[in-house]
Structure formats: structure tokens, C-alpha cells
Amino acid sequence: MLPSQKPVSRYMSAAPIVVQQSAPLSEAIALMQEHNVRHLPVLEGEDPVGIVSERDLAMAGSLVPDAWENIPVAEAMTPHPFTVTAETPIHVVAHNMADKHYGAALVADETGHVIGLFTTTDALLVLAACGAERD
């Protein structure tokens, strides 16, 4: 099977670091720095409601430089994140991400709970592996 036909679950980061939508932006930044990640799925309880990226946090910081730390993540996140199932073929995920300019896709189980995260970095690693297989 070609790598592009394989499911996204093979390439995703499993059990991603998440943040609650009510958490302050300072908590999101601390989580990103501690775990060296650029995207965090945003939850309300256990349900995904958005995604927040380093870029979102930088934008919030530039708009309200004196008060950004206490703004809730919900104010800076992108709501309704691009979400796929673990079995979605990687080429479908990558095509949608490129077409819609998404930086990441949430991977959810059959109940809608987040089980993984697939980012543009993950997509580049897949592409690099395809090139290595041809050499």
C-alpha cells in the first residue's frame, strides 16, 4: 500500500497535549513550551471545540499586549477545527489541509474524542519518508 493510502492514525501524534477553552492563554503558552508543540486541541470537558496555535497566541498578544495572559483560550482559538477519523487516508487529510490552509487536523474516535493530532510537520515527515523509500 502506498503511504498516501495509509490511514492518518499511522502518522499522527497520539494522545496530544490539550487545553480547556476556559484556561488562560498563559497556560496554553506554557503547555506549548513545555511539550515543544505548536498546536493544542481545545476542549470543553472532553469534547473538542477548537484548536489554538502559536500563531493564534501571537496574534492575541499583539492585539492586547497588556492583558493577553488572562484572556481565555476560547477567545484566541479557531473554532470548529478540521477533524478526521483515525482511518481517513493520509492523502485525503493532506489535500484538505493544503486546500483550506489548515495547520493541523484533529483525529477523533467514533465518540468524537480527540485521540491524535496531524500537523503540517507530520505531513512533511510522510513526504520525506516517501522520498527516502524511492532512493
Side-chain angles (χ1 to χ4, degrees):
M1 178 184 290
L2 294 171
S4 65
Q5 300 296 321
K6 293 181 181 172
V8 69
S9 59
R10 182 169 176 148
Y11 304 102
M12 71 182 188
S13 298
I17 306 304
V18 299
V19 66
Q20 291 294 314
Q21 69 174 352
S22 59
L25 291 182
S26 58
E27 182 177 326
I29 290 171
L31 285 168
M32 286 180 177
Q33 290 174 343
E34 178 183 348
H35 298 281
N36 195 29
V37 296
R38 296 181 301 128
H39 299 87
L40 297 174
V42 180
L43 307 180
E44 180 176 9
E46 292 185 19
D47 300 323
V49 293
I51 190 163
V52 67
S53 68
E54 278 183 331
R55 186 176 187 181
D56 297 328
L57 297 175
M59 177 73 75
S62 70
L63 293 174
V64 284
D66 297 331
W68 67 268
E69 294 171 318
N70 296 318
I71 294 173
V73 169
E75 296 293 322
M77 73 180 190
T78 300
H80 314 293
F82 175 51
T83 305
V84 298
T85 67
E87 294 305 312
T88 305
I90 194 71
H91 76 278
V92 171
V93 178
H95 175 76
N96 278 288
M97 287 174 66
D99 187 50
K100 304 284 193 218
H101 302 278
Y102 297 135
L106 300 186
V107 182
D109 65 15
E110 60 280 347
T111 66
H113 293 129
V114 176
I115 59 169
L117 185 67
F118 182 79
T119 67
T120 52
T121 300
D122 296 321
L124 289 171
L125 289 170
V126 173
L127 184 59
C130 290
E133 288 176 6
R134 290 183 185 175
D135 292 342

